[in-house]
Amino acid sequence: MELDLKLLSKEINEILWRNHKTLSTAESCTAGRIASVITAVPGSSNYYKGGLVCYADEVKEGLLKVDANVIADQTPVCEEVVRQMVKGCNDLFKTDYAVAISGYAGPGGPDGGKAGVIVGTIWIAVGCGDTIETMVIEEDNGREKNLSSATKAAILMLRDFLKNHCEGNAE
């Protein structure tokens, strides 16, 4: 693991531990990479409750309660899906905060670019309650680089979200 990711994970650890808050993850394209970064720091068991690797739409729908109509209309790689994944993840794991990610990492992707979604499109959401922030990455640098950059973006986004929203840690 890259040193900068370890340092970011340590910051996340300190914020959550100090504020007695909990975290969970819902990962589609990254398949547990975000959870791996978060749990690389000793003491993560004090705040990290668990994660769900949810490649299949039926898992997103069944366990995270993502609306099947949204997936059908907008694909599983859209802003609304990752928002619902955050809410569903917090509900499933009974956590204060969650990170969710869904994307087309490559080399293949959606059939014919459905709904304008192309390879390299990755949506990330971080949130608690009704406060959810999202971002999209739309750059295809090959599967491994796409996944690496998405993982780093999610960890940075989580750190920044916690700095701004975690009780007792607003700057």
Side-chain angles (χ1 to χ4, degrees), residues 44-169:
S44 58
S45 60
N46 290 319
Y47 57 85
Y48 184 71
K49 286 200 173 183
L52 178 65
V53 174
C54 47
Y55 261 47
D57 293 345
E58 56 267 21
V59 174
K60 291 176 185 80
E61 295 164 11
L63 294 176
L64 298 176
K65 308 304 181 205
V66 174
D67 186 336
N69 292 321
V70 172
I71 292 174
D73 293 344
Q74 300 179 42
T75 81
V77 180
C78 70
E79 182 176 22
E80 184 57 27
V81 166
V82 293
R83 284 180 171 281
Q84 290 183 24
M85 287 171 67
V86 163
K87 289 181 180 182
C89 194
N90 277 327
D91 289 345
L92 180 66
F93 289 99
K94 310 273 187 272
T95 52
D96 299 302
Y97 300 95
V99 180
I101 191 163
S102 186
Y104 295 118
D111 189 29
K114 181 179 177 186
V117 182
I118 58 170
V119 172
T121 302
I122 300 172
W123 276 95
I124 305 166
V126 176
C128 61
D130 289 330
T131 305
I132 298 173
E133 294 179 3
T134 62
M135 72 171 289
V136 65
I137 298 170
E138 295 178 302
E139 190 173 306
D140 185 13
N141 294 305
R143 182 177 182 80
E144 190 56 37
K145 286 183 181 176
N146 291 347
L147 294 173
S148 180
S149 64
T151 300
K152 186 171 185 174
I155 293 296
L156 275 166
M157 192 174 169
L158 173 61
R159 191 270 320 259
D160 292 347
F161 186 90
L162 292 173
K163 280 186 169 186
N164 292 324
H165 298 282
C166 194
E167 183 178 304
N169 197 51

Side-chain angles (χ1 to χ4, degrees), residues 18-38:
R18 180 174 56 243
N19 290 286
H20 307 286
K21 298 296 182 184
T22 56
L23 176 68
S24 58
T25 54
E27 300 182 64
S28 186
C29 61
T30 49
R33 288 178 183 223
I34 296 167
S36 178
V37 171
I38 290 166

Side-chain angles (χ1 to χ4, degrees), residues 6-18:
K6 285 184 181 178
L7 295 173
L8 288 167
S9 184
K10 189 173 184 331
E11 283 186 70
I12 291 165
N13 175 302
E14 291 169 357
I15 294 168
L16 291 169
W17 190 83
R18 180 174 56 243

